């Protein structure tokens, strides 16, 4: 059976799961946010990573059901963590395919109303390397949602071909530096990135470094003066109950 065929009804069958990877605040070292990441618990193939099914989901249209599920799970868990006393932001990936239809904007408005999360608690991540159809229309819709408290992040910065246009046209509140820029020890762009980070922060844009896996990467991120960091050094993607354990450990 093809991946696209197996994906039909996967959300309804409970096979699609939301896992979470922690983000730490660089000034305190504490977990202040998580990124919701999609996993597929296939009945025969076991746990499938996003690269093994998201492209097919986008091609077949299943991405809309999967994306809606992930947005709702992100909001639901954020509300639960806040009720438990943890002020945790949640980010969820939204693909260019989802942004091509008005349904995702309607859902986001409904979720922001339903869960009444504080401003900036929910952030959607838009991948910088993907071309967004009708960028102006998307930017206008996102601007309306931003005024309702939605955070908007440009993900994988440094890997795509439309960085400047999306930085200028999208009402972003956050930028995530791609892991390739953090992990490349031969890169001479650290000083330049530090200047770019400072300029973004002056505009009120939060900067998050991805792919921090060791102390060398962390030192590079400190040198860039990023606001937050994410990577295996702090925790791999994990089920929500393991995030609960990490948050409880911060209190002790």
């Amino acid at each position: 059976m093809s991946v696209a065929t197996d994906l039909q009804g996967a959300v309804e069958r409970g096979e699609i799961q939301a896992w979470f990877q922690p983000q730490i605040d660089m000034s305190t070292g504490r977990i202040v946010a998580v990124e919701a990441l999609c996993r597929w618990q296939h009945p025969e193939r076991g746990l499938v990573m996003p690269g093994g099914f998201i492209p097919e989901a986008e091609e077949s249209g299943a991405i809309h059901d999967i994306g809606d599920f992930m947005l709702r799970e992100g909001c639901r868990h954020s509300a639960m963590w806040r009720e438990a006393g943890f002020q945790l932001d949640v980010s969820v990936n939204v693909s260019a395919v989802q942004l091509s239809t008005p349904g995702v904007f309607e859902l986001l408005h409904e979720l922001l109303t339903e869960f009444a999360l504080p401003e900036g608690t929910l952030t959607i991540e838009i991948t910088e390397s993907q071309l967004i159809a009708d960028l102006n229309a998307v930017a206008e819709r996102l601007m309306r949602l931003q005024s309702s408290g939605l955070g908007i992040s440009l993900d994988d910065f440094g890997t795509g071909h439309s960085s400047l246009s999306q930085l200028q046209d999208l009402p972003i509140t956050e930028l995530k530096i791609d892991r390739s820029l953090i992990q490349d020890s031969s890169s001479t762009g650290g000083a330049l990135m530090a200047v770019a980070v400072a300029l973004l922060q002056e505009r009120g844009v939060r900067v998050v470094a991805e792919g921090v896996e060791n102390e060398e990467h962390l030192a590079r991120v400190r040198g860039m003066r990023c606001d937050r960091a994410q990577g295996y050094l702090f925790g791999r993607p994990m089920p929500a109950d393991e995030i609960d354990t990490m948050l409880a450990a911060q209190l002790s």
Side-chain angles (χ1 to χ4, degrees):
M1 300 291 285
S2 71
V3 170
T5 301
D6 284 358
L7 275 175
Q8 294 177 13
V11 172
E12 290 78 6
R13 293 191 299 270
E15 296 172 7
I16 302 299
Q17 301 175 357
W19 285 30
F20 300 89
Q21 186 173 25
Q23 288 180 9
I24 64 121
D25 181 280
M26 287 297 296
S27 63
T28 66
R30 298 175 67 83
I31 300 170
V32 291
V34 292
E35 179 183 357
L37 296 160
C38 193
R39 298 291 184 266
W40 182 14
Q41 188 63 55
H42 192 282
E44 296 174 1
R45 296 167 58 195
L47 194 66
V48 184
M49 298 295 107
F53 66 94
I54 291 298
E56 288 82 358
E58 291 179 327
E59 182 70 24
S60 67
I63 192 65
H64 297 291
D65 285 342
I66 293 172
D68 290 356
F69 169 81
M70 290 297 296
L71 285 168
R72 179 164 288 279
E73 281 294 276
C75 290
R76 185 174 72 85
H77 282 284
S78 181
M80 290 171 59
W81 280 315
R82 286 184 175 273
E83 188 175 344
F86 303 113
Q87 306 304 307
L88 204 63
D89 296 339
V90 176
S91 61
V92 183
N93 291 277
V94 175
S95 80
V97 175
Q98 291 170 267
L99 293 172
S100 67
T101 63
V104 68
F105 300 98
E106 294 168 5
L107 176 64
L108 282 164
H109 180 74
E110 291 171 8
L111 292 174
L112 288 170
T113 303
E114 177 183 349
F115 288 96
L117 298 173
E119 182 175 352
T121 299
L122 175 65
T123 293
I124 61 167
E125 296 191 13
I126 301 168
T127 301
E128 188 266 342
S129 58
Q130 293 181 327
L131 276 175
I132 297 174
D134 199 353
L135 185 60
N136 290 336
V138 168
E140 184 179 338
R141 289 170 178 155
L142 287 175
M143 211 170 296
R144 289 199 296 268
L145 285 168
Q146 186 192 35
S147 67
S148 300
L150 179 72
I152 300 159
S153 178
L154 188 60
D155 194 12
D156 298 336
F157 181 76
T159 62
H161 49 268
S162 53
S163 305
L164 290 177
S165 64
Q166 294 202 33
L167 267 176
Q168 292 171 344
D169 296 335
L170 292 176
I172 67 168
T173 59
E174 177 184 275
L175 182 137
K176 297 185 78 173
I177 302 174
D178 186 70
R179 67 182 62 244
S180 62
L181 298 179
I182 301 301
Q183 297 179 354
D184 184 5
S185 59
S186 64
S187 173
T188 58
L192 185 60
M193 277 305 305
V195 173
V197 168
L199 290 172
L200 286 162
Q201 290 168 336
E202 284 181 9
R203 289 175 48 190
V205 176
R206 180 173 60 227
V207 180
V208 181
E210 295 183 289
V212 180
E213 297 184 359
N214 56 44
E215 293 296 332
E216 181 185 349
H217 299 159
L218 182 59
R220 195 168 297 131
V221 170
R222 285 200 177 104
M224 294 179 184
R225 298 188 181 278
C226 296
D227 300 294
R228 293 179 179 178
Q230 176 179 342
Y232 291 173
L233 183 62
F234 314 112
R236 293 173 177 264
M238 62 191 77
D241 59 350
E242 294 183 29
I243 294 289
D244 294 342
T245 302
M246 292 183 74
L247 291 173
Q250 283 193 161
L251 299 179
S252 59

